[in-house]
Coordinates of all heavy atoms in Angstrom, one line a residue:
R1 N 173.6 16.9 155.5 CA 174.2 18.2 156.1 C 175.6 18.3 155.8 O 176.2 19.4 155.5 CB 173.9 18.2 157.6 CG 172.4 18.4 158.0 CD 172.3 18.7 159.4 NE 172.8 17.6 160.2 CZ 172.0 16.6 160.7 NH1 170.7 16.6 160.3 NH2 172.5 15.6 161.4
Q2 N 176.3 17.2 155.8 CA 177.8 17.2 155.5 C 178.0 17.6 154.1 O 178.9 18.4 153.8 CB 178.4 15.8 155.8 CG 179.9 15.7 155.5 CD 180.4 14.3 155.8 OE1 179.8 13.5 156.5 NE2 181.5 14.0 155.2
V3 N 177.2 17.0 153.2 CA 177.4 17.3 151.7 C 177.1 18.8 151.5 O 177.8 19.5 150.8 CB 176.5 16.5 150.9 CG1 176.5 17.0 149.4 CG2 177.0 15.0 150.9
Q4 N 176.1 19.3 152.1 CA 175.7 20.7 151.9 C 176.8 21.6 152.4 O 177.1 22.7 151.8 CB 174.4 21.0 152.6 CG 173.2 20.4 152.0 CD 171.9 20.5 152.8 OE1 172.0 20.7 154.0 NE2 170.8 20.4 152.2
G5 N 177.5 21.2 153.5 CA 178.6 22.0 154.0 C 179.8 22.0 153.1 O 180.4 23.1 152.8
H6 N 180.1 20.9 152.4 CA 181.2 20.8 151.5 C 180.8 21.6 150.2 O 181.7 22.3 149.7 CB 181.4 19.4 151.1 CG 182.1 18.5 152.2 ND1 183.1 19.0 152.9 CD2 181.8 17.3 152.6 CE1 183.5 18.1 153.8 NE2 182.7 17.0 153.6
L7 N 179.6 21.5 149.7 CA 179.2 22.2 148.5 C 179.1 23.7 148.7 O 179.2 24.5 147.7 CB 177.9 21.7 148.0 CG 177.9 20.2 147.5 CD1 176.5 19.8 147.0 CD2 178.9 20.1 146.3
S8 N 179.0 24.2 149.9 CA 178.9 25.6 150.1 C 180.2 26.4 149.8 O 180.1 27.6 149.5 CB 178.5 25.9 151.6 OG 179.5 25.5 152.5
H9 N 181.3 25.6 149.7 CA 182.6 26.2 149.4 C 183.0 26.0 147.9 O 184.1 26.3 147.5 CB 183.6 25.7 150.3 CG 183.3 25.9 151.8 ND1 183.3 27.1 152.4 CD2 183.0 25.0 152.7 CE1 183.0 26.9 153.7 NE2 182.8 25.7 153.9
K10 N 182.1 25.4 147.2 CA 182.4 25.0 145.8 C 181.4 25.7 144.8 O 180.2 25.8 145.1 CB 182.4 23.5 145.6 CG 183.4 22.8 146.5 CD 183.4 21.3 146.2 CE 184.4 20.6 147.1 NZ 185.8 21.0 146.9
R11 N 181.9 26.1 143.7 CA 181.1 26.7 142.6 C 180.7 25.6 141.6 O 181.3 25.5 140.5 CB 181.8 27.8 141.9 CG 182.1 29.0 142.9 CD 182.8 30.1 142.1 NE 183.1 31.2 143.0 CZ 183.7 32.4 142.6 NH1 184.1 32.5 141.4 NH2 183.9 33.3 143.5
A12 N 179.8 24.7 142.0 CA 179.4 23.6 141.1 C 177.9 23.4 141.3 O 177.4 23.4 142.4 CB 180.2 22.4 141.4
C13 N 177.2 23.1 140.2 CA 175.8 22.8 140.2 C 175.6 21.3 140.5 O 175.5 20.5 139.6 CB 175.1 23.2 139.0 SG 175.2 25.0 138.6
V14 N 175.7 20.9 141.7 CA 175.5 19.5 142.1 C 174.4 19.4 143.1 O 174.3 20.2 144.1 CB 176.8 19.0 142.8 CG1 176.7 17.6 143.2 CG2 178.0 19.2 141.8
D15 N 173.5 18.5 142.9 CA 172.4 18.2 143.8 C 172.9 17.4 145.0 O 173.5 16.4 144.9 CB 171.3 17.4 143.1 CG 170.0 17.3 143.9 OD1 170.1 17.5 145.1 OD2 169.0 16.9 143.3
P16 N 172.8 18.0 146.2 CA 173.3 17.3 147.4 C 172.7 15.9 147.6 O 173.4 15.0 148.1 CB 172.9 18.2 148.6 CG 172.8 19.6 147.9 CD 172.2 19.3 146.5
N17 N 171.4 15.7 147.2 CA 170.8 14.4 147.3 C 171.5 13.4 146.4 O 171.6 12.2 146.8 CB 169.3 14.5 147.0 CG 168.5 15.3 148.0 OD1 168.3 14.8 149.1 ND2 168.1 16.5 147.7
D18 N 171.9 13.8 145.2 CA 172.7 12.9 144.3 C 174.0 12.5 145.0 O 174.4 11.3 144.9 CB 172.9 13.6 143.0 CG 171.7 13.8 142.2 OD1 170.7 13.2 142.5 OD2 171.7 14.6 141.3
V19 N 174.6 13.4 145.7 CA 175.9 13.0 146.3 C 175.7 12.0 147.4 O 176.4 11.1 147.6 CB 176.6 14.3 146.9 CG1 177.9 14.0 147.5 CG2 176.8 15.3 145.8
V20 N 174.6 12.3 148.2 CA 174.3 11.3 149.3 C 174.0 10.0 148.8 O 174.5 9.0 149.3 CB 173.1 11.9 150.1 CG1 172.6 10.8 151.1 CG2 173.4 13.2 150.8
Q21 N 173.2 9.9 147.7 CA 172.9 8.5 147.1 C 174.1 7.9 146.6 O 174.3 6.6 146.8 CB 171.8 8.7 146.0 CG 170.5 9.3 146.4 CD 169.8 8.4 147.4 OE1 170.0 7.2 147.5 NE2 168.9 9.0 148.3
E22 N 175.0 8.6 146.0 CA 176.2 8.0 145.5 C 177.1 7.6 146.6 O 177.8 6.5 146.5 CB 177.0 9.1 144.6 CG 178.2 8.6 143.9 CD 177.9 7.6 142.8 OE1 176.8 7.5 142.3 OE2 178.8 6.8 142.4
S23 N 177.1 8.3 147.7 CA 177.9 7.9 148.8 C 177.4 6.6 149.4 O 178.2 5.7 149.8 CB 177.9 9.0 149.9 OG 178.4 10.3 149.4
F24 N 176.1 6.5 149.6 CA 175.6 5.2 150.1 C 175.8 4.1 149.2 O 176.1 2.9 149.6 CB 174.1 5.4 150.4 CG 173.8 6.0 151.7 CD1 173.2 7.2 151.8 CD2 174.0 5.2 152.9 CE1 172.9 7.8 153.1 CE2 173.7 5.8 154.1 CZ 173.2 7.0 154.2
L25 N 175.8 4.4 147.9 CA 176.1 3.3 146.9 C 177.5 2.8 147.1 O 177.8 1.6 147.0 CB 175.9 3.9 145.5 CG 176.2 2.9 144.3 CD1 175.4 1.6 144.4 CD2 176.0 3.6 143.0
N26 N 178.5 3.7 147.3 CA 179.9 3.3 147.5 C 180.0 2.5 148.8 O 180.8 1.6 148.8 CB 180.8 4.6 147.6 CG 180.9 5.3 146.2 OD1 180.7 4.7 145.2 ND2 181.1 6.6 146.2
I27 N 179.3 2.9 149.8 CA 179.3 2.2 151.1 C 178.8 0.8 150.9 O 179.3 -0.2 151.4 CB 178.6 2.9 152.2 CG1 179.3 4.2 152.6 CG2 178.4 2.0 153.4 CD1 178.5 5.1 153.5
Y28 N 177.7 0.7 150.1 CA 177.0 -0.6 149.9 C 177.9 -1.6 149.0 O 177.9 -2.8 149.3 CB 175.7 -0.4 149.2 CG 174.8 -1.6 149.2 CD1 173.8 -1.7 150.2 CD2 174.9 -2.6 148.3 CE1 172.9 -2.8 150.2 CE2 174.0 -3.7 148.3 CZ 173.1 -3.8 149.3 OH 172.2 -4.9 149.3
R29 N 178.6 -1.0 148.1 CA 179.4 -1.8 147.2 C 180.7 -2.4 147.8 O 181.1 -3.4 147.4 CB 179.7 -1.0 145.9 CG 178.5 -0.7 145.0 CD 178.7 0.4 144.1 NE 179.8 0.1 143.1 CZ 180.2 1.0 142.3 NH1 179.8 2.2 142.3 NH2 181.2 0.7 141.4
Y30 N 181.2 -1.7 148.7 CA 182.5 -2.0 149.2 C 182.6 -2.1 150.8 O 183.4 -1.5 151.4 CB 183.6 -1.0 148.8 CG 183.6 -0.9 147.3 CD1 183.0 0.2 146.6 CD2 184.2 -1.9 146.5 CE1 183.0 0.3 145.2 CE2 184.2 -1.8 145.1 CZ 183.6 -0.7 144.5 OH 183.6 -0.6 143.1
P31 N 181.7 -3.0 151.4 CA 181.7 -3.1 152.8 C 183.0 -3.8 153.3 O 183.3 -3.6 154.5 CB 180.5 -4.0 153.1 CG 180.3 -4.7 151.8 CD 180.7 -3.8 150.7
H32 N 183.6 -4.5 152.5 CA 184.8 -5.2 153.0 C 186.0 -4.3 153.3 O 187.0 -4.7 153.9 CB 185.3 -6.2 151.9 CG 185.6 -5.6 150.6 ND1 184.6 -5.2 149.6 CD2 186.8 -5.2 150.0 CE1 185.2 -4.7 148.6 NE2 186.5 -4.6 148.8
R33 N 185.9 -3.0 152.9 CA 186.9 -2.0 153.2 C 186.7 -1.3 154.5 O 187.5 -0.4 154.9 CB 186.9 -1.0 152.0 CG 187.1 -1.6 150.7 CD 187.1 -0.5 149.6 NE 188.3 0.3 149.6 CZ 189.4 -0.1 148.9 NH1 189.5 -1.2 148.2 NH2 190.5 0.7 149.0
F34 N 185.7 -1.8 155.2 CA 185.4 -1.2 156.5 C 186.0 -2.0 157.6 O 185.9 -3.2 157.7 CB 183.8 -1.1 156.8 CG 183.4 -0.6 158.1 CD1 183.7 0.7 158.5 CD2 182.9 -1.5 159.0 CE1 183.3 1.1 159.7 CE2 182.5 -1.1 160.3 CZ 182.7 0.3 160.6
F35 N 186.8 -1.3 158.5 CA 187.4 -2.0 159.6 C 187.0 -1.3 160.9 O 186.9 -0.1 161.0 CB 189.0 -1.9 159.5 CG 189.5 -2.5 158.3 CD1 189.7 -1.8 157.1 CD2 189.7 -3.9 158.2 CE1 190.2 -2.4 156.0 CE2 190.2 -4.5 157.1 CZ 190.5 -3.8 156.0
V36 N 186.7 -2.2 161.9 CA 186.2 -1.7 163.2 C 187.3 -1.7 164.2 O 187.8 -2.8 164.6 CB 185.0 -2.6 163.7 CG1 184.5 -2.1 165.0 CG2 183.9 -2.6 162.7
D37 N 187.8 -0.6 164.6 CA 188.8 -0.5 165.7 C 188.3 0.4 166.9 O 189.0 0.4 167.9 CB 190.1 0.1 165.1 CG 189.9 1.4 164.4 OD1 188.7 1.9 164.3 OD2 190.9 2.1 164.0
R38 N 187.2 1.0 166.7 CA 186.6 1.8 167.8 C 185.1 1.9 167.6 O 184.6 1.6 166.5 CB 187.3 3.1 168.0 CG 187.2 4.0 166.7 CD 188.0 5.2 166.8 NE 187.8 6.1 165.7 CZ 188.5 6.1 164.6 NH1 189.4 5.1 164.4 NH2 188.2 6.9 163.6
A39 N 184.5 2.5 168.6 CA 183.0 2.6 168.5 C 182.5 3.6 167.5 O 181.4 3.4 166.9 CB 182.4 3.0 169.9
D40 N 183.3 4.6 167.1 CA 182.9 5.6 166.1 C 183.6 5.3 164.8 O 183.8 6.3 164.0 CB 183.2 7.0 166.6 CG 184.6 7.2 166.9 OD1 185.4 6.3 166.9 OD2 185.0 8.4 167.0
A41 N 184.0 4.1 164.5 CA 184.7 3.8 163.3 C 183.9 4.1 162.0 O 184.5 4.6 161.0 CB 185.1 2.3 163.2
F42 N 182.6 3.9 162.1 CA 181.8 4.2 160.9 C 181.8 5.7 160.6 O 181.8 6.1 159.4 CB 180.4 3.7 161.0 CG 179.5 4.0 159.9 CD1 179.5 3.3 158.7 CD2 178.6 5.1 160.0 CE1 178.7 3.6 157.6 CE2 177.8 5.4 158.9 CZ 177.8 4.6 157.7

């Protein structure tokens, strides 16, 4: 839903599902960059 909201303002042929998969890939590859300072940190 977040990706679809961002793409609604852009003129680009991008599959939202591809963006979601790439986002999860980035999260998976770099977990050491995540810091917990509050309950909604993620």
Side-chain angles (χ1 to χ4, degrees):
R1 290 192 297 269
Q2 180 182 339
V3 170
Q4 291 171 337
H6 289 316
L7 291 177
S8 64
H9 305 292
K10 299 182 181 298
R11 296 181 179 179
C13 297
V14 179
D15 189 342
N17 290 289
D18 291 343
V19 181
V20 172
Q21 297 298 333
E22 185 70 17
S23 299
F24 275 110
L25 178 60
N26 291 336
I27 291 173
Y28 195 96
R29 290 161 64 186
Y30 303 102
H32 60 280
R33 305 178 73 87
F34 176 68
F35 298 97
V36 181
D37 54 355
R38 58 186 186 275
D40 61 347
F42 177 79

